[in-house]
Amino acid sequence: ITNINDLYVKFLIEESGHFTQPLKEILDFYTNYEHAQYFLKCGKWFKFNETFTAYLKKSLEQIPIIFGQDLIEDDFLAWKVIKENQIQNDENLANKLTYREYYFNENLSLNNGYKLLDRQLTAIQSLDIKGKKYKVEVADLYKDNEIISVKISGKPQDLIYNIEQSKGSVELIKQGIIPFDDILESAALWLVLEKPVSSLIEINSIQFLLAVDSWKKRVEFFGLKSQIYISKHVKN
C-alpha cells in the first residue's frame, strides 16, 4: 500500500458493534512553528493564528462544566461478574448488556433519577430508499429536560465520535425526523476520562476541541443549552 487513502482503521465499540474510518481522517497532530499553530486533519495541514486560538479558548470556556461521580473499575468488574453469572444461569433479565457504559448509565438511572436511554434505538429511513432503515441511539440518559451522551475513554478520537453522535441526535430531534415526546431544553456530553482535568483545553487534541466547539454551536443554533459533565475513570 502506497496511498494513505487506501488505509482504514476498524474501531470496536465494546459489545455494540464496530465502524471503520479512513486513517487520514483520524490522524491528529498539533505543533507550534514560528509563532503559529498548525494541525493535521483529514490529511491536510491547517494554520491557526492567535486570534482564532483566542476565540476557540473563549468559546469553550463558555460551556458549563459539571464534575460528576467517578467510575470505579473494581465496582464495574464486580457487577460484570454477577451479571455474567445471571446470564449463564439463564435468569430472567431485562437485557444481557455487560459493558462499562451501560453499567455507568444504569447506575446513574437507579441512584440519581436519570431516565435510561442507552441501547434504545429508533429507526429512520435510509438515504437509499431501497436500503434498510438506520438505527439511531438518541442519547444515553435524560433528566431535567436534558439529553446526555456518555463516553468512557481517554482517546480523543472516541470522544469525537460521541460528540458527533450527540450533534446528530439534536439535529434529528429538532427537525422532527426522530420522535421525542419529552421536553428538550438542553444537550450535554458526559466524558469519563482516564486522566483528571479541570478544563476542556487540558485535553490536548485540537480536533477534539474543534469538535466540541462545532457541537456547541449546533446545540445553541436550535435554542438549546449546552453543558459538559466530566468524571474520572478510577483504575487500580
Side-chain angles (χ1 to χ4, degrees), residues 56 60 160 163 200-214:
L56 182 61
L60 296 174
I160 292 171
I163 293 166
L200 286 176
I201 59 176
E202 292 179 23
I203 300 175
N204 191 26
S205 166
I206 193 66
Q207 284 188 249
F208 165 79
L209 298 178
L210 288 171
V212 172
D213 185 56
S214 175

Side-chain angles (χ1 to χ4, degrees), residues 17-32:
H18 66 269
F19 67 97
T20 60
Q21 277 188 285
L23 177 62
K24 74 174 187 178
E25 290 186 5
I26 61 175
L27 293 176
D28 181 7
F29 182 77
Y30 174 78
T31 187
N32 291 313

Side-chain angles (χ1 to χ4, degrees), residues 75-87:
D75 291 346
F76 159 68
L77 293 175
W79 170 87
K80 185 177 181 182
V81 168
I82 292 172
K83 189 157 187 181
E84 286 177 341
N85 287 335
Q86 291 174 327
I87 294 171

Side-chain angles (χ1 to χ4, degrees), residues 54-196:
Y55 150 76
L56 182 61
K57 183 174 183 292
K58 182 178 180 180
S59 176
L60 296 174
E61 288 175 343
Q62 292 173 350
I63 304 174
I65 302 295
I66 301 170
F67 294 93
Q69 69 180 51
D70 293 337
L71 167 62
I72 310 300
E73 182 71 7
D74 283 348
D75 291 346
F76 159 68
L77 293 175
W79 170 87
K80 185 177 181 182
V81 168
I82 292 172
K83 189 157 187 181
E84 286 177 341
N85 287 335
Q86 291 174 327
I87 294 171
Q88 187 174 1
N89 294 332
D90 200 25
E91 295 185 24
N92 185 21
L93 300 172
N95 59 68
K96 297 182 179 181
L97 303 174
T98 60
Y99 55 89
R100 281 181 188 83
E101 282 171 18
Y102 186 82
Y103 162 77
F104 187 76
N105 295 333
E106 184 184 54
N107 195 352
L108 287 169
S109 174
L110 294 173
N111 300 315
N112 298 88
Y114 288 87
K115 182 178 180 180
L116 184 62
L117 302 179
D118 192 354
R119 301 305 297 161
Q120 295 186 24
L121 306 179
T122 301
I124 62 173
Q125 181 59 50
S126 168
L127 294 177
D128 180 359
I129 298 177
K130 297 180 181 179
K132 293 182 179 179
K133 290 186 176 181
Y134 300 120
K135 290 186 177 181
V136 179
E137 184 179 84
V138 175
D140 293 299
L141 300 167
Y142 174 83
K143 185 181 179 182
D144 297 333
N145 304 335
E146 177 178 72
I147 54 171
I148 305 171
S149 296
V150 177
K151 190 61 184 178
I152 302 171
S153 180
K155 300 177 182 179
Q157 186 61 37
D158 292 341
L159 302 178
I160 292 171
Y161 178 74
N162 184 54
I163 293 166
E164 293 302 318
Q165 275 190 317
S166 176
K167 186 165 67 173
S169 293
V170 170
E171 292 262 5
L172 294 170
I173 292 171
K174 298 302 288 186
Q175 292 178 8
I177 298 174
I178 289 179
F180 192 78
D181 297 328
D182 294 307
I183 298 172
L184 182 59
E185 297 177 343
S186 175
L189 306 171
W190 196 316
L191 310 179
V192 184
L193 308 174
E194 295 177 358
K195 296 181 180 180

Side-chain angles (χ1 to χ4, degrees), residues 38-53:
Y38 296 84
F39 81 100
L40 182 67
K41 180 180 181 181
C42 295
K44 296 180 180 179
W45 284 102
F46 293 83
K47 176 183 178 181
F48 287 159
N49 58 27
E50 292 181 2
T51 302
F52 183 84
T53 304

